[in-house]
């Protein structure tokens, strides 16, 4: 646990800093001398009372990434937590050990079995009105809160940083959290994935900062009022909910409008959608800072170059967008890919705005160990390495495969890709195929439908038929392990990829490769 001693916030330095060594940043200043000074780290009302509606909270689908994180924070703050999920899981085991009352299976009588009626029932967008527990709650007049509303209630009394974007939310939120922890702050956080450092997706901290991943998929991030907001990119997705690309873009504009007075919006200048969002916000009087190769404004952070390595990479930046040697600095990132380096710079900017010193933030970023299911190493069988990744949008797939290529060295890259959602598969089949062409060989599974009903004619074959490199369409999930084992060669790097249950295949592939080696 971080110590209670807090560092002083970074102060402007009128002298020109010396050229930083790799992995360090010095001389960072607040972008605008007239902007409101941040509250000293740890000064927020972290003992703010728990909202009355959340004192006895029942969470439907409590085992999910977002819901389990809220439950974890509620338990730490003394709430009576109950919940249900369709099946037993590691998340349920952990929450039960922390004192939650949990049910496997969702039935109306679960609410009646509680010692006291819940003060609120918390649901996500995935929970349908026909859910028996939700129907029972409505029949009994129990208040129903969306997951984001509950999380917004837990943010009260904190200085809030929200990380949004079509891609990179989880990684950037995680990087900022770990970097702040390295500064001996103790932020509360809620992330859509488990940190490798702690294995947790949420935490109630003793500091005055709350870092949260802000989900745009259903527009629920409009429940938050951040003092710092990061938007990594804006590229149409989740059209099953938003309907049109224009509506999807607008929800980000609405999110930027949720910033508290004097708040800061941080956007990636290299992404057209995020850059345009920054222009619109600046025109409306919002403070905006940009990062990336195309960042050119005062107070922006310009990326001068990126040098990859098998264990990560180094991104060279220029503070205040000048290219003189005195303002150039190297930031080391321990996870591969220039897209991850850009996420690190976004986290650095947010951390500085929150009052943390840039040098210590950069040290934390250099030590960041990643997030589960984000190019997570699963193991090695002989000369074959197996990784797992959550990428499920064409841009994410392409960015991750470029990073994987560096990690593979001279070996081949074999991807096992599972499309996620019928609507996304239908809309982006050609783009997925183009992204997957960055691999040497591809196995495409059938669609993981998640919340959607099957759509006639929409299968993994829509993608596989368009992939220009050697490709295999395998609709039978249970046959995928054997197929991959047949295809791999010594020196290959295998990555299972997608947002569904494809993550289960990594250990199975390793076990099958080991079995064949023993039996050879």
């Amino acid at each position: 646990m971080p110590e209670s001693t807090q560092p002083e916030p970074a102060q402007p330095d009128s002298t020109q800093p010396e050229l930083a060594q790799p992995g360090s940043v010095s001389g960072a200043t607040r972008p605008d001398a007239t902007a409101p000074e941040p509250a000293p780290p740890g000064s927020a009302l972290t003992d703010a009372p728990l909202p009355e509606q959340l004192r006895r909270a029942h969470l439907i689908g409590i085992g999910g990434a977002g819901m389990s994180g809220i439950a974890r924070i509620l338990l730490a703050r003394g709430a009576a937590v109950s919940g249900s999920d369709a099946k037993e899981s590691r998340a349920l085991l952990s929450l039960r050990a922390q004192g939650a009352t949990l049910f496997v299976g969702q039935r109306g009588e679960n609410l009646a079995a509680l010692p006291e009626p819940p003060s609120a029932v918390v649901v996500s967008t995935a929970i349908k009105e026909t859910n028996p527990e939700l129907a029972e709650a409505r029949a009994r007049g129990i208040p129903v809160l969306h997951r984001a509303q509950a999380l917004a209630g837990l943010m009260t009394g904190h200085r809030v940083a929200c990380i949004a974007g079509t891609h990179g939310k989880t990684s950037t939120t995680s990087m900022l959290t770990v970097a702040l922890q390295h500064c001996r702050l103790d932020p509360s956080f809620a992330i859509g994935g488990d940190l490798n450092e702690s294995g947790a997706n949420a935490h109630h901290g003793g500091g005055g900062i709350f870092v949260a991943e802000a989900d745009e998929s259903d527009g629920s991030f409009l429940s938050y009022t951040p003092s710092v907001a990061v938007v990594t990119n804006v590229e149409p997705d989740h059209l099953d909910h938003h309907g049109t690309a224009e509506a999807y873009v607008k929800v980000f504009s609405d999110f930027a409008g949720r910033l508290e007075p004097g708040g800061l919006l941080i956007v990636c200048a290299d992404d057209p959608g995020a850059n345009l969002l920054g222009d619109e916000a600046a025109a409306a009087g919002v403070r905006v800072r940009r990062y990336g190769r195309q960042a050119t404004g005062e107070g922006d952070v310009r990326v001068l170059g990126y040098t990859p390595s098998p264990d990560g990479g180094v991104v060279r930046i220029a503070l205040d967008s000048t290219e003189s040697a005195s303002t150039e600095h190297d930031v080391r990132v321990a996870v591969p890919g220039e897209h991850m380096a850009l996420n690190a710079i976004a986290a650095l900017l947010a951390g500085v705005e929150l009052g943390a010193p840039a040098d210590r933030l950069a040290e934390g970023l250099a030590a960041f160990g990643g997030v589960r299911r984000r190019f997570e190493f699963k193991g090695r069988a002989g000369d074959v390495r197996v990784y797992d990744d959550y990428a499920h949008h064409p841009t994410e797939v392409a960015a991750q495969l470029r990073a994987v290529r560096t990690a593979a060295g001279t070996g081949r890259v074999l991807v096992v890709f599972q499309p996620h959602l019928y609507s996304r598969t239908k809309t982006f089949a050609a783009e997925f195929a183009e992204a997957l062409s960055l691999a040497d060989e591809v196995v495409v599974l059938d669609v993981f439908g998640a919340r959607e009903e099957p759509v006639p004619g929409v299968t993994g074959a829509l993608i596989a038929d368009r992939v220009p490199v050697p490709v295999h369409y395998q609709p039978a999930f249970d046959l995928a392990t054997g197929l991959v084992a047949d295809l791999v060669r010594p020196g290959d790097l295998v990555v299972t990829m997608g947002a569904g249950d494809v993550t289960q295949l990594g250990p199975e592939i390793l076990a099958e490769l080991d079995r064949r080696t023993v039996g050879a």
Side-chain angles (χ1 to χ4, degrees):
M1 185 69 66
E3 298 177 8
S4 59
T5 304
Q6 309 292 352
E8 292 295 324
Q11 298 297 321
D13 184 356
S14 60
T15 62
Q16 289 188 330
E18 295 181 359
L19 181 63
Q21 297 299 313
S24 69
V25 172
S26 61
T29 65
R30 288 183 52 78
D32 182 356
T34 65
E37 284 298 318
S43 68
L45 302 175
T46 54
D47 57 350
L50 191 67
E52 191 68 33
Q53 277 193 320
L54 296 176
R55 292 186 179 277
R56 297 186 312 281
H58 182 85
L59 286 71
I60 304 177
I62 197 170
M67 298 290 268
S68 63
I70 291 173
R72 192 183 302 274
I73 296 173
L74 284 168
L75 287 164
R77 293 185 63 173
V81 175
S82 61
S84 65
D85 214 332
K87 60 183 179 180
E88 192 65 77
S89 65
R90 185 178 65 180
L92 264 62
L93 292 173
S94 175
L95 293 172
R96 193 177 287 116
Q98 295 172 60
T101 300
L102 302 179
F103 303 92
V104 176
Q106 295 173 349
R107 299 172 293 273
E109 53 265 32
N110 290 345
L111 298 182
L114 296 172
E116 293 184 78
S119 55
V121 167
V122 182
V123 299
S124 69
T125 304
I127 303 301
K128 299 180 179 179
E129 286 294 326
T130 54
N131 180 281
E133 290 182 21
L134 177 55
E136 179 69 13
R138 294 207 187 279
R140 297 173 60 176
I142 299 172
V144 176
L145 300 178
H146 188 276
R147 177 183 66 189
Q149 293 173 308
L151 186 58
L154 294 175
M155 293 174 177
T156 302
H158 294 76
R159 201 148 182 258
V160 178
C162 285
I163 315 300
T166 310
H167 325 293
K169 294 183 292 292
T170 300
S171 296
T172 307
T173 310
S174 303
M175 288 176 172
L176 176 57
T177 298
V178 170
L180 290 171
Q181 290 173 334
H182 187 80
C183 294
R184 295 192 173 187
L185 304 175
D186 184 18
S188 297
F189 63 86
I191 308 173
D194 292 342
L195 293 174
N196 283 346
E197 281 80 0
S198 64
N201 63 343
H203 168 68
H204 172 54
I209 295 171
F210 201 118
V211 179
E213 179 176 342
D215 181 16
E216 89 289 353
S217 66
D218 56 3
S220 61
F221 65 170
L222 299 182
S223 297
Y224 310 138
T225 306
S227 55
V228 183
V230 174
V231 176
T232 55
N233 38 57
V234 180
E235 185 177 354
D237 195 8
H238 303 290
L239 301 186
D240 56 316
H241 174 83
H242 294 284
T244 66
E246 292 76 15
Y248 181 83
V249 170
K250 184 180 183 301
V251 80
F252 279 94
S253 296
D254 294 341
F255 173 67
R258 296 285 303 173
L259 274 163
E260 66 181 27
L264 176 68
L265 176 65
I266 299 168
V267 298
C268 181
D270 297 346
D271 178 76
N275 200 41
L276 179 59
L277 176 68
D279 290 343
E280 294 174 349
V286 176
R287 284 196 303 134
V288 177
R289 291 193 75 180
R290 304 171 203 257
Y291 62 95
R293 293 180 182 268
Q294 305 302 316
T296 58
E298 182 179 355
D300 290 353
V301 175
R302 186 175 183 185
V303 172
L304 302 176
Y306 173 73
T307 304
S309 65
D311 58 350
V314 175
V315 58
R316 192 161 189 79
I317 63 174
L319 299 177
D320 296 322
S321 298
T322 65
E323 297 192 34
S324 62
S326 62
T327 60
E328 293 183 10
H329 310 277
D330 287 343
V331 178
R332 184 173 299 279
V333 184
V335 286
E338 185 168 349
H339 64 301
M340 285 296 190
L342 285 172
N343 293 341
I345 300 307
L348 179 68
L349 284 174
V352 169
E353 176 68 15
L354 291 168
D359 281 344
R360 294 298 302 275
L361 288 166
E363 290 173 0
L365 293 170
F368 173 68
V371 187
R372 286 178 181 166
R373 296 229 58 210
R374 271 66 177 180
F375 198 51
E376 179 187 1
F377 180 62
K378 305 302 292 186
R380 179 190 294 269
D383 292 332
V384 177
R385 289 173 290 161
V386 177
Y387 291 79
D388 182 46
D389 195 85
Y390 191 70
H392 56 281
H393 184 280
T395 301
E396 296 169 348
V397 172
Q400 195 57 63
L401 287 180
R402 284 191 287 268
V404 169
R405 178 64 64 188
T406 300
T410 59
R412 296 191 316 151
V413 174
L414 194 158
V415 179
V416 185
F417 180 68
Q418 182 186 52
H420 184 257
L421 299 181
Y422 296 99
S423 57
R424 186 181 287 126
T425 302
K426 182 178 180 180
T427 301
F428 297 117
E431 289 83 354
F432 274 123
E434 181 179 0
L436 290 168
S437 70
L438 295 172
D440 295 296
E441 194 156 7
V442 180
V443 173
V444 179
L445 306 179
D446 218 345
V447 179
F448 184 85
R451 59 185 179 272
E452 295 183 343
E453 296 297 326
V455 176
V458 179
T459 70
L462 281 181
I463 297 172
D465 289 346
R466 293 172 166 87
V467 175
V469 299
V471 61
H472 312 267
Y473 171 50
Q474 178 50 268
F477 188 87
D478 58 344
L479 298 181
T481 297
L483 173 60
V484 175
D486 290 340
L487 295 174
V488 296
R489 307 171 189 169
D492 281 359
L493 187 155
V494 177
V495 56
T496 57
M497 187 172 284
D501 55 4
V502 66
T503 185
Q504 300 173 10
L505 292 183
E508 295 179 9
I509 292 169
L510 289 166
E512 177 63 16
L513 291 174
D514 284 338
R515 186 189 68 79
R516 294 189 182 195
T517 300
V518 171

